[in-house]
Amino acid sequence: QGLESSVRAVEQSVRELRAHLVSESATIPKVEAIIAASSLQGDDLNTINSHLPPHLPGLQHASISSTSGHSTGTVLNRRDQPHATDASTSAPAHSLADPAGNASKKERASVAPRSYISEGELNSLSSYMRGRLTLDKVNAALDELASCAEANHRLMAAARASNSKLSGADRKRATELYHCIASKEGIKGRFWFLDSDLREGASIRPDKTGKAILMMLRHLKRLEEVRCSLDGSSAVVYLLC
């Protein structure tokens, strides 16, 4: 009787082992499908990586200067798609941060849009407009322009803050910018910069090359121009799109 019980126990173990093997065998096609899908995805990512431009500008988180209200910062690497697919990936041109919103909403609202130029868009331009400009230089300039716009946004936000440590001159400048430019119809809630913001630029300055880049960005609908009265004279305001 003891031997019979042992045999039955072994038979039960064998049946359980067979059931387990059948169950595991049924998952093999699913695993093979996952492996195949992963391989295809890897090929797609390699293709995308091989077609990326050599220069991928990043966000430039600026701090407000106590003398000019302009900004400098460290560029953080960031990958962005061309303008055609920009709506789902790049930061939108939100209005000024809502004081009642949470921190993440405020952070998004303080980031200017960066719709980088694709190689196809650059090549579509006429040779006289493109000149010797490269994709790297144009996108680096666009990144810097967005940083200038963010600096203006933060300067005015700092002037409105109750605990602001801005100097009297910076506060006066921020007030002028707000009433003469930022509060105007068509500009309110958007990111913008002036020619004067480019004087200390690293990638773009208000010179012949800088003017060519601005003209190119207007043509590719990355910028719009609006004229406003500032300091008693007409000033060109560039709006980021």
Side-chain angles (χ1 to χ4, degrees), residues 180-200:
C180 296
I181 298 177
S183 62
K184 299 298 182 181
E185 188 69 26
I187 302 179
K188 186 177 182 179
R190 298 181 66 178
F191 284 90
W192 52 269
F193 61 91
L194 305 170
D195 280 324
S196 58
D197 295 322
L198 310 181
R199 292 172 183 168
E200 304 299 327

Side-chain angles (χ1 to χ4, degrees), residues 128-129 210-220 223:
Y128 86 88
M129 181 177 292
K211 295 295 184 183
I213 293 176
L214 293 175
M215 181 177 68
M216 178 188 296
L217 293 177
R218 287 197 306 270
H219 181 79
L220 294 174
L223 294 178

Side-chain angles (χ1 to χ4, degrees), residues 22-127:
V22 170
S23 176
E24 291 297 312
S25 298
T27 63
I28 291 177
K30 297 179 182 180
V31 174
E32 291 175 342
I34 292 174
I35 293 174
S38 298
S39 178
L40 289 175
Q41 187 177 31
D43 293 340
D44 290 341
L45 291 175
N46 288 332
T47 301
I48 292 172
N49 183 63
S50 65
H51 287 82
L52 287 174
H55 176 78
L56 294 174
L59 293 178
Q60 192 172 26
H61 296 286
S63 59
I64 300 170
S65 168
S66 60
T67 57
S68 65
H70 296 162
S71 65
T72 57
T74 301
V75 176
L76 304 178
N77 290 333
R78 171 187 174 181
R79 300 200 168 192
D80 293 83
Q81 280 77 10
H83 187 57
T85 57
D86 177 69
S88 63
T89 56
S90 64
H94 290 302
S95 59
L96 299 183
D98 181 1
N102 56 41
S104 61
K105 289 183 179 179
K106 289 182 180 180
E107 184 177 353
R108 288 195 300 270
S110 64
V111 177
R114 286 167 166 80
S115 302
Y116 296 116
I117 306 302
S118 68
E119 186 174 1
E121 287 177 304
L122 183 65
N123 293 335
S124 70
L125 299 173
S126 59
S127 58

